Amino acid sequence: MTEESVLERLKEQFRAATRTTRTPRTRNSIRTVPGMNPVRGYSNNSATSNSDSSNNNNNNSDWTAFSDRRVAYDDFATIDWLHDEASDRARQISLKNTRGWRGWAARFADGMQAWIGVWLVGVATGLSAGLIDISSIWLNDVKEGHCKAGFYLSKKFCCWHRPVKFYAPYAAGEGIPEIKTILGGFVIKQFLSVRTLLIKILGITLSVGSGLSLGKEGPLVHIACCFGNIISRIFSKYRDNEAKKRHLLSAASAAGISVAFGAPVGGVLFALEEVSYYFPYKTMWRSFFCAMIGAIVLRLMNPFRTGKLVWFEVKLSRRWHSFELPAFILLGILGGLFGTLFIRLNTQIATYRKKYWSEKPIIEVFVVALITGLVGFAHVYLRVSTVDLVANLFRECADIGGDFHGMCANSVQGQVIFLLLFAACIKFFLTVFTFGTKVPAGVFTPSIAVGALVGRAMGIVMSSIQAAYPTDPFFTSCSIKPINNPCITPATYAIIGAAAFLSGTTRMTMSLTVIMFELTGALSYVLPIMVTVLTAKWVGDYLSPGGLYAELITLGGYPYLDSSDEYIGAGTVGDIMTGVEALRVIPGGSEISVAEMETMLSETRFKGFPVVLRRNDWKVVGFAGRSELRFALSETPNTPASLLNFISGDSSSAFSPAIPDLNETPPTSPQSGNGTIDMRQWINPTPTNFPTDFPISLCVEYFKKMGIRYILVTERETGVLAGIVTKKDLLKHVMYVKDGGVGVGFDEDESQQHRRRLPVVVTNRSGLI
C-alpha cells in the first residue's frame, strides 16, 4: 500500500467519523464515542466494513470506536485520564441515545447520582466532625476530673485522658499531601478505605483530646475523602471510573474544611486552590452543595452547645486604622519566616525519623506526648487546649469571661508580652516535633495558635505605644473613636497573625482569606487579612518555594506534577527518555506464545509495553498495559502453547503502514479461526507519541493539562520507536532541574542513574544544570 493510498484512506475515515447518522447497536457491539480517537477498541460496524466510500454515509464513526476498561488500576499507579474521560463520554452518549421514558428515567437517575453522592458525603462528614468535636472536648476535660452528674459530660456542661499511642500506616499524619496526589491521578488503594476511615476518626479524637500540639482540620479532609471514596462505590458512574471519582473527592475535600472551620465558601475555595487537580464547573457547584450540607449537619448537632460551628468563632465590632497597616505587613513577614523555618525543621526531623525512628513509632509518640504534657502544664497559657487558647486570643477583652491570666490587665503588659512570645516559641517547637509522628495530626490549628500568640503580643505593644503617645500625629485617626472604646484592639492582631502564620506554612491565599472572614464575621477586616496573607506567601515563596505540602509530597516520593509549577528548563524528550535498549516491546505482527508472554511479565516490572509492527520493524502501533495483559491471560481460555496476536486475528495479514485496520470488526470470541488469540481489545492502538526533538517544556504542559501517564518517543522521519517517558521519569527530571542536582524523593540508585544520564546532554543545550 502506497503512502498516497494510506493518506486518502485516512481522509475518508475522518470524513466518515464526522457524520452523525446513527446505526443500531447490537448486544456485542463496542461503544462508540463521536469525535474521539480509538482507545482500546475497534469498529462495531460490520455492516459497512467492506463498503466503498459512497456507503460510508451511514457509517457510525469507525474512527471513534471505544471499549471499556476491564482491569482495575494497580496500587501506586497513575490513572489514564484520557481513557476514563472518554469512557464517561461514551456512557453519556449511550444514555442520550436511549429513547422513551426509560431513557428519560435513566438520564435523570444518572444526573442525580452526583448530587446524592455529595449529599451523603456532606452528611457523613458533618456527623463525623461533630462526633470528633464532642469526644475530643470530653477527653481534654478529663485531665481536670470527671462529672459526678454524668461521666459523659465535659467540664463546660457539668460543672478519660491518656497519651496517644495508636499506630496505623495510612491513618497517620495529616493526609492532605496524599489527597493532592490522589486527586492528581495517583492510586493509593488503602488510603481511603473503610479501615483507614475508622482508625482516622478514633485516632484524631484521641490525638486532639490528649493535648498534643496538632489540629483536626487536615485529618477532617482525609476523613471526608474516605467517605467520598466509600460512597462512590454505590454509583457505577463513579465506581468504574477513576477520573469521575476524583470530582467527587474534590467535593468531599471542600466539606472537610467546611466542617473544620464552619466555612462552606472557604472549603470550596480550598478545594479549588489547594487540593484539586481538575476542577470543572459542575464540580464547583457540587463542592459548594457538599460543603453546605456538612455545615448544616454540624450546626444541627451543635457539638459546642453554643449554636456556633467552631469553638473560636468571634465577632469583631471595631474597625481598623490605616496606621496599623505596617504592623499587619510585619505580621505577614513574620508569618513567611515562621512557615519557612517550620518547613525546613520539620523536613529535617522527618528525614531523621525515617532513618532512625521508623521502627519505633509508639515510643516516639509516647515521648512526644510526655514532653507536651510536662511543658504545657508548666506554662500558664498552654495548660488549656489549643482550641481554648485560640478562642481566648481571638476575643476582645470586653468579651472574655474574666481576665485570661492577666492578658487584659494594663499593669502587667510587659510580663504578658513575654509569656505570649514564650508560649509561641514552645508551641512552635512542639508542633515541629509532633507533626509527622504516627498519629493523625493536622498543622492548621497549631499554626493558627502560634500566629495568634505573636499577633496578640504585637497588638498589646501597639496599644501600649498608642496609649503612651495619644497625641502623636501618627495616631490622629484615634481621636474620632467612639467614647470608652480602645483605639487598638489586640484581638484583631491575633486573628491577622493567625492568618499570616497559617499562610506562611501552607501558602494558602484566597481560601484562607475567606475562611478567616467566615470565622470572624468581620467584613471590614478582609483587606488587612488579604495584605497580610499575600505578604506571608511572598516571603515564604521567596525563601522556600512550594510550601509544606509540596515538601511532604517530595519527601514521600509521590508522582505529583503541580499544575501551578512552571518548567523553565530546555532540552528535548529525547534527552530524558528511557531508551529503547532498556525496554521490552511486543512485536504486534508476529504471533507470541502465552509462555513467552508470561516469561516477559515475570522478568520485568514495567507497567506496560510498546507494541511495534514486527520484530524487525519497530514502527509504533500501540501500547499494552501490564495489568491488561495479566487480566487477558487469566481470563482467556488458552493453554501455554496458544499464540497471541496484537494487531490482527489473522496471522497471515500484514499491515504495511503502522495503522490498524479500523474497518475490521473484532471477533466476538478472543479465539480466532486459525487458533491464535486476538489481543487487540487489550491494547491502546493510539498511544500519545512525540518525536525525539519535542521540547520538554511543552511535554510538561501536556502531562499537566491532559493527565497523560506516558508518552512514546519516536524518530521524526521514520516513526520508529526510540524510547518512553513516564510521568515519574518527567517528575524526576523536573525535580533535578529545580534542585540543581540530585532530585529529592527517589532512592540512591535512581539518583545515580539520573545524574549519569542527564547532566552532559542538558548542560550542553540549556546550561541550567
Side-chain angles (χ1 to χ4, degrees):
M1 184 179 294
T2 64
E3 293 184 3
E4 291 78 6
S5 61
V6 172
L7 181 59
E8 290 299 324
R9 176 181 171 195
L10 288 175
K11 289 180 178 179
E12 182 57 40
Q13 290 172 338
F14 178 77
R15 286 192 292 268
T18 59
R19 301 184 179 102
T20 59
T21 305
R22 298 185 178 91
T23 56
R25 294 183 59 197
T26 61
R27 179 180 180 183
N28 294 322
S29 63
I30 300 176
R31 297 195 293 188
T32 61
V33 187
M36 298 193 67
N37 289 340
V39 183
R40 294 192 179 93
Y42 292 85
S43 170
N44 65 343
N45 225 340
S46 59
T48 60
S49 61
N50 297 319
S51 302
D52 56 21
S53 60
S54 63
N55 291 332
N56 278 337
N57 292 331
N58 294 324
N59 194 346
N60 187 23
S61 303
D62 290 342
W63 184 250
T64 61
F66 181 86
S67 69
D68 287 330
R69 170 179 292 275
R70 295 170 171 80
V71 185
Y73 290 104
D74 290 334
D75 198 11
F76 294 99
T78 54
I79 70 171
D80 192 338
W81 289 93
L82 296 178
H83 176 277
D84 286 355
E85 292 293 346
S87 175
D88 184 67
R89 194 168 302 177
R91 181 188 57 79
Q92 293 178 17
I93 291 174
S94 177
L95 290 173
K96 184 178 180 180
N97 292 337
T98 305
R99 303 300 181 185
W101 69 270
R102 294 181 182 274
W104 179 89
R107 289 188 293 272
F108 178 79
D110 180 77
M112 289 300 296
Q113 285 184 20
W115 296 103
I116 295 174
V118 296
W119 181 84
L120 291 173
V121 171
V123 171
T125 304
L127 290 173
S128 299
L131 177 63
I132 291 171
D133 288 334
I134 295 172
S135 302
S136 60
I137 293 171
W138 177 59
L139 287 172
N140 192 72
D141 287 348
V142 168
K143 293 183 292 184
E144 302 179 27
H146 69 278
C147 178
K148 295 182 178 180
F151 73 94
Y152 53 87
L153 296 175
S154 64
K155 177 182 177 181
K156 181 175 181 180
F157 306 120
C158 171
C159 16
W160 183 56
H161 168 77
R162 59 182 182 181
V164 177
K165 58 180 181 179
F166 201 92
Y167 169 70
Y170 285 131
E174 188 170 42
I176 291 182
E178 291 81 4
I179 294 297
K180 292 184 65 172
T181 307
I182 290 173
L183 292 178
F186 196 53
V187 177
I188 309 178
K189 287 191 172 180
Q190 297 301 316
F191 189 79
L192 301 177
S193 65
V194 176
R195 180 179 180 182
T196 301
L197 170 65
L198 297 177
I199 294 176
K200 192 82 173 187
I201 293 176
L202 177 61
I204 193 60
T205 302
L206 296 175
S207 298
V208 174
S210 69
L212 288 175
S213 185
L214 46 82
K216 66 179 184 300
E217 292 78 14
L220 278 173
V221 175
H222 186 186
I223 290 171
C225 288
C226 286
F227 280 119
N229 179 63
I230 295 167
I231 291 172
S232 68
R233 301 173 188 173
I234 302 175
F235 310 105
S236 59
K237 66 183 293 184
Y238 294 111
R239 181 180 62 247
D240 302 330
N241 194 306
E242 290 291 335
K244 291 288 291 183
K245 182 187 295 184
R246 273 143 184 81
H247 299 323
L248 187 63
L249 295 180
S250 294
S253 64
I257 291 296
S258 173
V259 299
F261 290 104
V265 179
V268 176
L269 289 177
F270 173 82
L272 171 62
E273 177 185 11
E274 191 62 33
V275 298
S276 295
Y277 203 77
Y278 296 104
F279 206 74
Y281 186 74
K282 289 183 178 179
T283 303
M284 180 184 69
W285 285 111
R286 290 165 184 166
S287 299
F288 181 75
F289 179 77
C290 189
M292 179 190 70
I293 293 298
I296 290 175
V297 172
L298 183 63
R299 173 65 179 82
L300 294 176
M301 289 187 68
N302 195 16
F304 307 117
R305 300 298 189 271
T306 61
K308 300 178 181 180
L309 293 179
V310 290
W311 189 253
F312 44 82
E313 182 180 12
V314 295
K315 298 292 182 181
L316 298 179
S317 58
R318 300 180 179 92
R319 63 184 181 89
W320 61 283
H321 304 276
S322 57
F323 67 80
E324 297 180 277
L325 199 56
F328 296 155
I329 294 176
L330 178 59
L331 279 175
I333 295 173
L334 293 176
L337 294 173
F338 161 81
T340 301
L341 182 60
F342 177 85
I343 292 170
R344 291 182 178 177
L345 290 178
N346 188 257
T347 302
Q348 292 176 3
I349 292 174
T351 304
Y352 181 87
R353 177 184 293 120
K354 186 176 181 180
K355 188 175 182 179
Y356 297 105
W357 283 82
S358 59
E359 301 300 325
K360 304 174 182 178
I362 298 179
I363 296 177
E364 181 189 17
V365 172
F366 176 79
V367 171
V368 171
L370 181 62
I371 294 175
T372 301
L374 294 175
V375 174
F377 186 78
H379 196 289
V380 65
Y381 285 143
L382 299 181
R383 292 175 186 173
V384 298
S385 67
T386 304
V387 174
D388 285 330
L389 173 63
V390 173
N392 283 287
L393 293 171
F394 277 10
R395 294 190 184 116
E396 299 179 2
C397 286
D399 299 331
I400 298 179
D403 192 1
F404 185 63
H405 301 292
M407 196 162 56
C408 296
N410 295 328
S411 59
V412 292
Q413 288 184 340
Q415 179 182 354
V416 170
I417 293 172
F418 172 77
L419 288 175
L420 288 172
L421 294 178
F422 187 47
C425 292
I426 294 175
K427 199 71 174 176
F428 169 76
F429 285 105
L430 287 177
T431 306
V432 167
F433 285 96
T434 304
F435 186 75
T437 56
K438 296 300 182 180
V439 294
V443 76
F444 281 56
T445 300
S447 298
I448 289 174
V450 176
L453 287 165
V454 175
R456 187 85 186 202
M458 182 173 289
I460 294 175
V461 170
M462 288 292 295
S463 180
S464 300
I465 295 175
Q466 190 275 330
Y469 305 96
T471 60
D472 192 282
F474 189 71
F475 303 113
T476 302
S477 59
C478 288
S479 61
I480 59 175
K481 68 180 180 65
I483 300 176
N484 297 327
N485 275 356
C487 177
I488 295 176
T489 307
T492 62
Y493 287 78
I495 293 172
I496 293 175
F501 279 55
L502 183 55
S503 177
T505 305
T506 63
R507 309 297 157 82
M508 295 163 53
T509 53
M510 293 185 300
S511 57
L512 179 56
T513 301
V514 175
I515 287 171
M516 297 306 294
F517 163 63
E518 293 184 276
L519 195 65
T520 62
L523 181 61
S524 60
Y525 281 87
V526 170
L527 181 58
I529 290 175
M530 290 175 62
V531 172
T532 307
V533 164
L534 282 177
T535 302
K537 177 177 172 55
W538 287 337
V539 173
D541 284 343
Y542 178 78
L543 297 174
S544 176
L548 176 63
Y549 299 139
E551 290 294 330
L552 293 177
I553 289 173
T554 302
L555 189 65
Y558 299 124
Y560 181 77
L561 189 60
D562 197 332
S563 57
S564 63
D565 284 347
E566 294 184 3
Y567 176 78
I568 58 175
T572 64
V573 294
D575 300 332
I576 64 173
M577 69 181 182
T578 301
V580 71
E581 67 278 356
L583 300 177
R584 296 289 292 272
V585 301
I586 298 174
S590 305
E591 294 174 341
I592 305 173
S593 68
V594 172
E596 183 180 357
M597 182 60 64
E598 290 282 2
T599 300
M600 185 177 70
L601 291 174
S602 62
E603 292 179 351
T604 64
R605 295 190 301 171
F606 299 136
K607 295 295 184 180
F609 307 90
V611 181
V612 297
L613 189 60
R614 302 186 187 88
R615 294 183 186 272
N616 58 351
D617 188 352
W618 283 28
K619 291 186 178 71
V620 176
V621 296
F623 187 86
R626 183 184 189 90
S627 299
E628 283 77 6
L629 291 176
R630 277 292 185 194
F631 185 81
L633 293 178
S634 64
E635 294 294 318
T636 304
N638 58 74
T639 64
S642 300
L643 300 177
L644 309 176
N645 196 288
F646 285 84
I647 64 175
S648 173
D650 184 2
S651 62
S652 63
S653 64
F655 292 80
S656 298
I659 302 171
D661 188 354
L662 299 176
N663 284 327
E664 180 186 353
T665 304
T668 57
S669 171
Q671 197 80 15
S672 57
N674 63 346
T676 60
I677 300 173
D678 194 328
M679 299 290 288
R680 285 177 295 174
Q681 59 180 323
W682 304 109
I683 72 169
N684 178 3
T686 57
T688 304
N689 62 83
F690 295 146
T692 54
D693 57 353
F694 193 81
I696 297 177
S697 57
L698 291 180
C699 181
V700 171
E701 295 302 315
Y702 269 88
F703 272 85
K704 288 196 301 186
K705 292 180 170 59
M706 299 181 64
I708 298 175
R709 304 172 70 191
Y710 62 88
I711 61 164
L712 299 181
V713 184
T714 59
E715 300 292 345
R716 178 175 290 277
E717 300 296 332
T718 62
V720 171
L721 179 68
I724 188 173
V725 176
T726 67
K727 188 175 183 179
K728 295 179 182 179
D729 294 333
L730 189 67
L731 279 167
K732 291 175 185 178
H733 174 68
V734 170
M735 288 189 293
Y736 188 89
V737 173
K738 183 184 298 185
D739 297 336
V742 178
V744 180
F746 39 95
D747 58 38
E748 182 74 16
D749 293 338
E750 292 177 314
S751 299
Q752 295 284 353
Q753 179 182 1
H754 205 66
R755 184 162 51 242
R756 288 196 302 268
R757 185 175 61 193
L758 289 176
V760 175
V761 178
V762 179
T763 301
N764 291 340
R765 298 198 177 200
S766 66
L768 292 176
I769 300 179

